[in-house]
Amino acid sequence: MKLWDKEISTEQRILAFTTGKDPVYDLELAPYDVAGSMAHAIMLGEAELIGKEEAARLVGALELLYQQAKEGKLSLDPGVEDIHSQVEMMLTQTLGILGKKVHTGRSRNDQVMVDIKLFLRDEIKEIAGETKKLALALLKQAERYREVLMPGYTHMQVAMPSSFGLWLGGYAEALADDLSFLQGIHTVVNQNPLGSAAGFGSSFPVKRELTTRLLGFEDMHISSVNAQMNRGKTEWYVGSGIAAIASTLARFAMDSVLFMGQNFSFISLPPELTTGSSIMPHKKNPDVLELLRAKCNRLTATASEVSSVTGNLISGYHRDFQVLKEIIHPALEELYSCLEMMLYVVERIQVNKNILDEDTYLYIYSVEEVNKKVKEGVPFRDAYREVASDIDKGRYRPGRDHAYTHLGSIGNPGLKEIEAKLDKAYGSFRFVNMEEQVNALSTYFEKS
């Protein structure tokens, strides 16, 4: 039996097509579906839509299902459409008619939506933690090599002196900015849609404030219409967060691949992190960084993929939304894998400490020459032209001194300030411990 079954026989090939890959991704949602049902059952008891003793029995049976789901022992029986059907069927098998009462006052629409919200809330927590780890690893390497100079580039031309402290610290700060962006997304995700039913509310006196508190949501979607419109928009927000972090990783991977080339030789990786060539015995290829670049570049399109599915839909539920699982779930898994691998690589990067001794970088201190003249009283534009003329006529004799002292320069890369910014960004999340929430749900009637 389907949750929507009205004794109408739908063709099997239609069912197979419309079910799609839901059975795969629904198992990832299973613990959250059960947790949402626990909160809903408690609310039904408190709203006197079922007896409190009945609600307590539902919660007890659901607690056992939650443990099965967490241990990976909850699966879909043959012919069962989705995890929501499976859970209700198992409750009915265990509790009889009482199991059929669990769906009172809700639709599969808000049931699915709360599952997705709870799942994504946990996923953001994991991604944020891995992002912070990577940023801290970059800061550690930045501190280690903060005094080692390297060329800075504009237009892919040698520009001014930079340093590994500045370069690595810059990427750490970029990840801190990504975390701030992700925190805003987490705030939107962390809103309760339960009680909005099919997007128009319920004639039952459901207590939405109660389920909001029980599930640890920071807030609720007030309008039932907006709660349902967040299906698709929630995935788009999360896709944008994925894209932001992936963009930072892809750019760092590109820098690193370039800087490992023999024409640059700024950095290197231990041989065991590289791969060889089938015919060239000297090759030590940065395949790991190239694949990180490719995977992360692809991830930057995640939000666009979501938009390609939802872009022309009117308000209300559409089955199109089901396809979003096939976009978001793999993207989250891919990003997590890329963050872990990038951390492994960053911790093992080795730096060339004598880069600027090469004649290639003869003119890298030309701005310093201009600034010296300015300090001697020459107007900046005149000083600029004098140094440019000396370079053109072969009279330029570069110095090797620099006088950078301001925050965010090679003399003061601001690594402690970046770490403080990172801590602030990460600390602004209002993370929820799902296990603690479920424990509170399971003992709700004992305490009351």
Side-chain angles (χ1 to χ4, degrees):
M1 295 286 288
K2 311 293 183 292
L3 293 181
W4 46 269
D5 203 317
K6 298 182 289 290
E7 299 182 0
I8 300 171
S9 181
T10 303
E11 287 186 20
Q12 188 57 43
R13 66 187 297 175
I14 298 297
L15 288 175
F17 183 80
T18 54
T19 298
K21 295 183 179 180
D22 256 17
V24 176
Y25 298 122
D26 271 16
L27 294 180
E28 294 182 34
L29 296 178
Y32 305 101
D33 188 76
V34 177
S37 292
M38 290 173 76
H40 185 69
I42 290 170
M43 185 279 296
L44 291 177
E46 292 290 357
E48 298 182 352
L49 294 171
I50 62 175
K52 286 191 178 181
E53 184 182 341
E54 289 181 309
R57 290 175 61 201
L58 280 170
V59 169
L62 286 163
E63 183 186 4
L64 295 176
L65 292 180
Y66 179 82
Q67 295 306 323
Q68 290 182 44
K70 288 297 289 183
E71 294 168 8
K73 296 178 181 178
L74 188 61
S75 58
L76 300 187
D77 291 345
V80 175
E81 184 178 23
D82 52 34
I83 191 61
H84 326 296
S85 307
Q86 180 70 36
V87 169
E88 187 169 325
M89 183 187 74
M90 294 176 77
L91 282 177
T92 303
Q93 289 171 350
T94 304
L95 302 175
I97 291 175
L98 177 57
K100 297 180 180 181
K101 294 184 179 182
V102 75
H103 205 56
T104 304
R106 74 177 178 187
S107 165
R108 190 163 57 161
N109 294 6
D110 62 338
Q111 184 179 1
V112 172
M113 194 68 213
V114 81
D115 294 1
I116 291 169
K117 292 274 193 174
L118 295 173
F119 167 74
L120 290 176
R121 190 174 71 179
D122 268 7
E123 289 294 303
I124 290 173
K125 181 180 179 180
E126 294 301 315
I127 293 297
E130 290 302 305
T131 301
K132 184 182 180 185
K133 281 185 195 175
L134 177 57
L136 287 173
L138 286 163
L139 284 173
K140 185 176 180 179
Q141 291 286 55
E143 182 61 42
R144 180 182 178 187
Y145 297 115
R146 67 180 294 158
E147 303 296 336
V148 181
L149 297 181
M150 63 184 290
Y153 291 85
T154 63
H155 306 278
M156 277 305 296
Q157 304 290 306
V158 173
M160 293 171 65
S162 181
S163 71
F164 284 98
L166 199 59
W167 177 59
L168 293 163
Y171 276 102
E173 186 179 8
L175 290 175
D177 291 340
D178 293 337
L179 278 179
S180 293
F181 183 56
L182 192 63
Q183 188 276 327
I185 293 166
H186 182 264
T187 298
V188 177
V189 169
N190 199 19
Q191 297 182 86
N192 182 24
L194 200 55
S196 61
F200 314 101
S202 171
S203 58
F204 290 112
V206 296
K207 296 178 178 291
R208 299 192 63 211
E209 296 85 353
L210 177 59
T211 55
T212 298
R213 188 177 78 250
L214 292 173
L215 291 169
F217 282 111
E218 187 175 345
D219 208 339
M220 74 165 76
H221 289 297
I222 296 169
S223 167
S224 295
V225 170
N226 182 49
Q228 281 308 310
M229 284 198 297
N230 251 256
R231 184 78 190 272
K233 198 167 186 182
T234 292
E235 291 90 339
W236 182 85
Y237 282 131
V238 173
S240 299
I242 290 170
I245 296 169
S247 176
T248 300
L249 300 190
R251 181 171 284 190
F252 182 77
M254 179 63 230
D255 278 4
S256 299
V257 169
L258 189 70
F259 293 165
M260 282 184 67
Q262 287 86 348
N263 298 88
F264 289 83
S265 295
F266 296 171
I267 63 173
S268 61
L269 290 178
E272 58 270 21
L273 270 64
T274 63
T275 59
S277 163
S278 62
I279 62 170
M280 295 172 282
H282 68 283
K283 294 299 290 296
K284 293 178 181 177
N285 298 321
D287 286 11
V288 62
L289 287 163
E290 292 172 337
L291 286 171
L292 280 165
R293 180 178 60 194
K295 290 173 183 288
C296 289
N297 277 334
R298 184 172 62 186
L299 286 173
T300 61
T302 305
S304 297
E305 284 190 69
V306 172
S307 292
S308 71
V309 175
T310 63
N312 63 346
L313 301 181
I314 65 168
S315 62
Y317 175 77
H318 309 275
R319 193 63 181 265
D320 310 54
F321 294 138
Q322 178 178 309
V323 177
L324 301 181
K325 295 178 187 176
E326 299 175 25
I327 298 172
I328 291 296
H329 285 240
L332 286 164
E333 184 179 349
E334 186 94 289
L335 179 60
Y336 193 85
S337 171
C338 287
L339 282 164
E340 282 191 316
M341 184 52 65
M342 187 64 88
L343 174 64
Y344 189 80
V345 170
V346 164
E347 290 175 336
R348 289 158 179 80
I349 280 179
Q350 299 164 351
V351 163
N352 179 355
K353 296 184 178 180
N354 300 295
I355 300 168
L356 296 189
D357 291 346
E358 301 291 331
D359 287 343
T360 305
Y361 311 113
L362 184 67
Y363 300 118
I364 203 164
Y365 289 101
S366 65
V367 176
E368 287 300 297
E369 293 300 310
V370 173
N371 291 348
K372 283 179 185 177
K373 289 178 179 291
V374 170
K375 289 175 183 178
E376 292 168 0
V378 180
F380 175 82
R381 191 53 57 200
D382 293 339
Y384 173 90
R385 290 194 179 96
E386 286 177 16
V387 173
S389 176
D390 286 344
I391 291 172
D392 289 342
K393 294 175 181 177
R395 297 195 301 260
Y396 174 75
R397 296 294 178 266
R400 295 286 179 179
D401 298 325
H402 63 81
Y404 292 85
T405 58
H406 70 77
L407 183 63
S409 68
I410 58 178
N412 183 10
L415 303 183
K416 289 189 186 324
E417 289 82 358
I418 292 171
E419 185 172 1
K421 185 177 183 179
L422 177 65
D423 288 340
K424 181 181 178 182
Y426 187 76
S428 63
F429 284 88
R430 295 183 64 178
F431 290 130
V432 176
N433 187 313
M434 201 62 206
E435 291 300 311
E436 290 180 2
Q437 292 297 134
V438 171
N439 287 339
L441 293 171
S442 65
T443 58
Y444 180 86
F445 287 105
E446 295 174 20
K447 292 176 180 177
S448 62

